[in-house]
Amino acid sequence: MSTAALAQQTVRINVSMPQNGHHGVAIDAFAAELERLTEGRFDVETFYAGSLGAERESIEGVQLGTLELTFTSTGPVPNFVPELRVLDIPYLFRDYAHARGLLDSEIGDELLARFEPHGIKGLAWADNGFRHMTNNVRPIVAPADLNGLKMRTMENSVHIAAYREFGILPTPMAFTEVFAALQQGVVDGQENPLSVIESNNFQEVQNYLTLTGHVFSPCVFLMNLELYNDLSEEDQAAFVAAAKVGAAANRARVDSDEASAIGSMAAEGLQIVAEIDRDAFIAAIGKANEQFVADFGAEEIARIRDFQP
Ligand code: EAX
């Protein structure tokens, strides 16, 4: 065998979620597909549950090149790519078909390209999911019920600004600290997609869930740009194709979680408010929305919000 045939490059990819979940299946499928497409020239090492760092640290590692790849929610992304803050506006997306259709469209490609000036290659969009609120104080039925609740938020300025309008006391922290913070009562609640809530057993330390669906939270495969640029065109295409296979596995898992999580968590004793008056929640953050229009531009918001898949 020639040395070239033996040469194998190891790349690492991590997630902050457990392996058995919608982030874990994404990187497992990515790894298998990349190894298949490159006939084993790339060896993908996968890390779960924040063992290589929380999401913000991981994005930073990818930017610096101390970590090759990460699969992350976009929660901490605005700290690196402020132009992507627009995606975090509450009630921007109607449903999964809207969010996925937009992210897979030319607009999605254009948004993905915004990572590049910051030293990061965005390989493919995927889902974290629609975010819902949990807490230990009272069932959230109307926006006024949120008043005074101390809630853990992502390290995301758009979320924090909007949640303040709800009357929430936002407490930003890395995801890896959330379970303990809920258990110890450092915060009253948190907000996350059903896939995240259930795979991290938050129902064990929370009493109430309301399907607020207040934010669609994307996920994204990120790679160090220099590393990507050093690849042959064929290998670049293999990384993108493998990320798309990972995204498909992720979305399939989100769909199956969405179908089962409410029933299984209710059976464990979580009290669930399934219906809210969406317009009332949107109206409650009217001031924050005015600020988002001023910050991001009405046209930029409208082309995402009004997108028809
Ligand atoms: O990536 O930080 C969060 O709440 C994220 O939704 C979670 O870590 C999934």
Side-chain angles (χ1 to χ4, degrees), residues 158-181:
V158 173
H159 290 183
I160 292 169
Y163 301 167
R164 278 212 179 98
E165 286 303 310
F166 278 135
I168 288 170
L169 308 173
T171 308
M173 70 177 76
F175 182 81
T176 42
E177 297 164 39
V178 179
F179 188 91

Side-chain angles (χ1 to χ4, degrees), residues 3 19 23 28 51 74 81 88 96 107 109-110 132 155 198 205 214 221 226 235 254 269 273-274:
T3 6
Q19 181 170 15
H23 293 208
D28 287 351
S51 64
T74 56
V81 189
D88 297 305
Y96 279 100
I107 301 175
D109 291 345
E110 189 197 301
H132 306 296
E155 298 160 287
E198 190 176 34
V205 287
H214 55 283
F221 278 95
E226 222 173 279
D235 285 345
V254 167
V273 177

Side-chain angles (χ1 to χ4, degrees), residues 16-17 22-23 55 71-76 128 131 152-155 173-176 178 190-193 196 200 217 219:
S16 69
M17 299 280 109
H22 66 317
H23 293 208
E55 291 189 330
F71 179 83
T72 177
S73 80
T74 56
N128 196 23
R131 304 181 78 85
R152 176 271 175 174
T153 71
M154 293 205 276
E155 298 160 287
M173 70 177 76
F175 182 81
T176 42
V178 179
Q190 63 86 47
E191 43 78 58
N192 252 302
V196 174
N200 291 280
S217 182
C219 275

Side-chain angles (χ1 to χ4, degrees), residues 13-19 23 27 46-58 70-71 174-177 200:
I13 186 164
N14 72 327
V15 289
S16 69
M17 299 280 109
Q19 181 170 15
H23 293 208
I27 65 171
T46 49
F47 297 86
Y48 311 93
S51 64
L52 281 192
E55 291 189 330
R56 187 158 56 81
E57 293 155 8
S58 302
T70 191
F71 179 83
F175 182 81
T176 42
E177 297 164 39
N200 291 280

Side-chain angles (χ1 to χ4, degrees), residues 52-116:
L52 281 192
E55 291 189 330
R56 187 158 56 81
E57 293 155 8
S58 302
I59 300 168
E60 192 172 38
V62 168
Q63 186 176 48
L64 295 170
T66 54
L67 176 64
E68 292 77 39
L69 295 131
T70 191
F71 179 83
T72 177
S73 80
T74 56
V77 159
N79 298 305
F80 302 87
V81 189
E83 307 89 296
L84 286 175
R85 281 178 307 167
V86 65
L87 289 174
D88 297 305
I89 295 177
Y91 296 109
L92 182 66
F93 293 101
R94 296 177 297 279
D95 51 26
Y96 279 100
H98 178 197
R100 292 171 181 177
L102 183 281
L103 292 173
D104 290 346
S105 74
E106 276 172 23
I107 301 175
D109 291 345
E110 189 197 301
L111 295 169
L112 203 53
R114 293 187 189 176
F115 282 98
E116 289 187 32

